[in-house]
């Protein structure tokens, strides 16, 4: 029987992007989605990830555990800083959607643009990038833009406005940055019609899936 992984979501908007990443980069892997549809709204209301919200993510992972998954990937970048603590509670790998992507951004960029649509995601991503840069002893500059209006548009069913607002910000940051980070997987849908951009745009689905599969492979050989 093949591997089975759990995909943990704080919003339904990230489901398709994560499924597309699996279909492209790990087509032989079985997966199951676990969603708390109100969790991202709760993060926005709080403006940060609280202990109560972390416990809600843990409950989703427990459901995945009960279904017999070999590991899980969290698609919500706001929870990335808590992944080490969360992983210690389980007997299988837990990976965040964006850590490998942020490592790459620091490696290739001197001035890094960060675009988010959730209040907590922008500061969280920025802090992680700074920590990675400090560990690499690399001087960087970060320009962070959080477009709450895009998140509200998607919540109201206006996906076209959601995409347009993100695309406009990408073009704006491309003029002053040498790499752009898309902070949330749910934003990837906007990249399909963004047009020609002169700098790399990094999103996280591919790196999360590859990171999880690498951890599972390591466990099988040790």
């Amino acid at each position: 029987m093949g591997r089975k992984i759990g995909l943990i979501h704080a919003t339904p908007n990230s489901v398709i992007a994560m499924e597309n990443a699996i279909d492209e980069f790990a087509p032989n892997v079985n997966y199951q989605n676990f969603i708390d549809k109100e969790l991202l709204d709760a993060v926005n209301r709080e403006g940060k990830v609280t202990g109560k919200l972390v416990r809600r993510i843990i409950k989703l992972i427990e459901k995945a555990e009960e279904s017999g998954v070999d590991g899980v990937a969290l698609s919500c970048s706001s929870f990335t800083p808590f992944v080490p603590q969360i992983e210690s509670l389980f007997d299988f790998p837990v990976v965040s959607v964006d850590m490998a992507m942020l490592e790459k951004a620091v490696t290739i960029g001197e001035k890094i643009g960060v675009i988010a649509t959730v209040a907590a995601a922008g500061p969280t991503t920025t802090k992680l990038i700074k920590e990675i840069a400090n560990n690499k002893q690399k001087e960087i500059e970060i320009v962070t833009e959080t477009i709450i209006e895009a998140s509200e548009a998607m919540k109201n069913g206006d996906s076209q406005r959601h995409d347009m607002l993100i695309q406009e910000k990408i073009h704006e940051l491309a003029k002053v940055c040498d790499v752009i980070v898309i902070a949330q997987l749910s934003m990837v849908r906007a990249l399909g019609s963004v047009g020609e951009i002169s700098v790399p745009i990094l999103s996280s689905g591919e790196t999360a899936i590859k990171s999880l599969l690498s951890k599972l492979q390591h466990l099988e050989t040790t």
Side-chain angles (χ1 to χ4, degrees):
M1 189 173 179
R3 294 190 189 100
K4 179 182 178 182
I5 64 177
L7 306 178
I8 310 299
H9 305 283
T11 171
N13 296 332
S14 62
V15 172
I16 293 177
M18 201 62 140
E19 289 181 344
N20 287 344
I22 292 180
D23 291 342
E24 183 173 355
F25 302 106
N28 297 321
V29 171
N30 297 312
Y31 62 86
Q32 186 172 347
N33 291 297
F34 299 88
I35 311 170
D36 183 338
K37 294 182 179 180
E38 304 301 320
L39 187 50
L40 192 59
D41 287 340
V43 172
N44 271 330
R45 284 196 302 271
E46 296 289 343
K48 62 179 181 178
V49 176
T50 63
K52 183 176 181 180
L53 298 180
V54 172
R55 290 194 294 274
R56 284 172 65 171
I57 276 284
I58 290 171
K59 287 180 181 178
L60 286 181
I61 300 174
E62 287 173 342
K63 290 181 180 179
E65 182 180 41
E66 291 168 4
S67 78
V69 301
D70 299 302
V72 302
L74 275 62
S75 70
C76 183
S77 58
S78 296
F79 290 90
T80 295
F82 302 92
V83 166
Q85 298 97 307
I86 293 172
E87 187 174 37
S88 70
L89 302 175
F90 297 92
D91 295 325
F92 50 64
V94 178
V95 303
S96 62
V97 74
D98 57 352
M99 188 56 76
M101 172 188 66
L102 301 183
E103 292 269 0
K104 183 175 181 180
V106 172
T107 298
I108 67 175
E110 304 287 341
K111 187 170 183 179
I112 301 170
V114 174
I115 302 177
T117 62
V118 175
T124 296
T125 302
T126 301
K127 182 181 178 183
L128 288 169
I129 291 173
K130 288 179 178 177
E131 290 174 356
I132 293 168
N134 286 337
N135 290 337
K136 292 179 179 289
Q137 297 184 325
K138 181 176 181 179
E139 291 286 336
I140 61 167
E141 183 180 350
I142 307 172
V143 181
T144 303
E145 297 282 357
T146 303
I147 319 168
I148 299 297
E149 298 93 333
S151 180
E152 292 173 348
M154 181 61 81
K155 185 179 177 181
N156 294 330
D158 192 349
S159 58
Q160 187 173 357
R161 176 168 171 76
H162 167 273
D163 295 355
M164 180 196 69
L165 289 169
I166 294 170
Q167 290 160 6
E168 287 178 349
K169 193 59 67 175
I170 288 173
H171 282 276
E172 180 182 318
L173 289 188
K175 297 176 183 177
V176 295
C177 298
D178 47 28
V179 61
I180 296 173
V181 168
I182 301 301
Q184 300 143 233
L185 193 63
S186 58
M187 299 166 60
V188 170
R189 53 166 290 124
L191 301 182
S193 54
V194 71
E196 192 170 327
I197 301 295
S198 60
V199 301
I201 303 173
L202 303 183
S203 58
S204 55
E206 174 184 356
T207 53
I209 297 303
K210 287 183 175 178
S211 175
L212 179 54
L213 293 179
S214 176
K215 283 195 172 190
L216 293 175
Q217 183 69 36
H218 179 71
L219 289 175
E220 289 178 359
T221 56
T222 55

